[in-house]
């Protein structure tokens, strides 16, 4: 990665980038293999870059890397940023797959299910009965878990 790209990524940790600056990063990421893109975006998560998810949505496409990035990002997230990670993953992986990942990753210390049930209704349309049923099952798990 060249110095200019790294400088833009560093800058994105303390201010929003202009659309032109964002485009420079995107063009670079689109020109390299997805494995390298994943590693750069992972480092952006670690640096708390403000454009990480926006860029990840545009450059990570394969199910494998989207899943890896979602897992990494959701485990690093707080109650509010979970919404952003759901916005990233649900369109690419599907509601059911994302719910399954959240269930698998949930534990007493991260309480992912508890945090996710707050945001998940935003991603379900009224007539998606299967998704509502999945959400109801998640809510039951929250009620049953010791606090």
């Amino acid at each position: 990665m060249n110095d200019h790209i790294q400088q833009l990524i560093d800058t994105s940790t303390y201010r929003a980038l202009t659309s032109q600056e964002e485009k420079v990063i995107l063009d670079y990421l689109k020109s390299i293999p997805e494995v390298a893109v994943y590693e750069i975006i992972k480092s952006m998560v670690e640096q708390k870059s403000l454009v990480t998810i926006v860029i990840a949505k545009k450059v990570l496409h394969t199910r494998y890397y989207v899943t890896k990035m979602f897992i990494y990002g959701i485990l690093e997230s707080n109650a509010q940023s979970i919404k952003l990670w759901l916005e990233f993953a649900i369109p690419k992986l599907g509601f059911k797959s994302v719910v399954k990942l959240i269930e698998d990753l949930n534990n007493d210390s991260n309480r992912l299910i508890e945090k996710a049930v707050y945001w998940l209704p935003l991603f379900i349309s009224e007539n998606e009965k299967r998704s509502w049923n999945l959400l109801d099952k998640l809510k039951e798990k929250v009620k049953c878990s010791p606090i």
Side-chain angles (χ1 to χ4, degrees):
M1 174 170 29
N2 70 37
D3 290 340
H4 181 62
I5 300 296
Q6 186 59 56
Q7 181 183 15
L8 288 173
I9 291 171
D10 292 345
T11 300
S12 74
T13 62
Y14 60 87
R15 74 163 171 84
L17 297 178
T18 66
S19 59
Q20 185 57 40
E21 290 170 326
E22 211 173 284
K23 185 178 179 329
V24 170
I25 294 172
L26 281 171
D27 289 345
Y28 172 73
L29 293 176
K30 288 177 180 178
S31 73
I32 61 176
E34 198 165 15
V35 63
V37 171
Y38 169 79
E39 291 301 327
I40 291 169
I41 293 176
K42 186 177 169 191
S43 75
M44 291 171 72
V45 171
E46 292 165 1
Q47 293 178 30
K48 302 199 181 325
S49 167
L50 303 174
V51 294
T52 303
I53 296 173
V54 170
I55 288 180
K57 283 181 184 179
K58 295 176 181 177
V59 295
L60 289 177
H61 303 293
T62 63
R63 186 169 192 82
Y64 175 77
Y65 287 111
V66 170
T67 302
K68 263 182 93 159
M69 183 52 57
F70 175 72
I71 290 169
Y72 186 76
I74 199 105
L75 291 174
E76 295 289 316
S77 68
N78 59 36
Q80 290 201 312
S81 61
I82 280 181
K83 178 188 179 207
L84 301 173
W85 287 107
L86 293 171
E87 286 174 352
F88 163 71
I90 289 173
K92 293 175 178 281
L93 301 174
F95 189 84
K96 184 178 176 181
S97 295
V98 169
V99 167
K100 175 78 171 104
L101 286 168
I102 289 169
E103 287 177 304
D104 292 347
L105 296 168
N106 186 63
N107 63 42
D108 291 340
S109 65
N110 67 25
R111 297 166 48 194
L112 280 179
I113 291 176
E114 189 177 326
K115 296 173 193 173
V117 295
Y118 180 82
W119 296 111
L120 285 169
L122 298 174
F123 301 94
I124 309 172
S125 66
E126 273 184 54
N127 57 356
E128 289 182 63
K129 293 197 186 308
R130 290 173 127 178
S131 296
W132 285 109
N133 289 338
L134 281 172
L135 181 59
D136 288 341
K137 288 177 184 174
L138 271 186
K139 286 179 180 178
E140 284 302 313
K141 288 182 181 191
V142 171
K143 288 178 188 173
C144 295
S145 68
I147 297 175

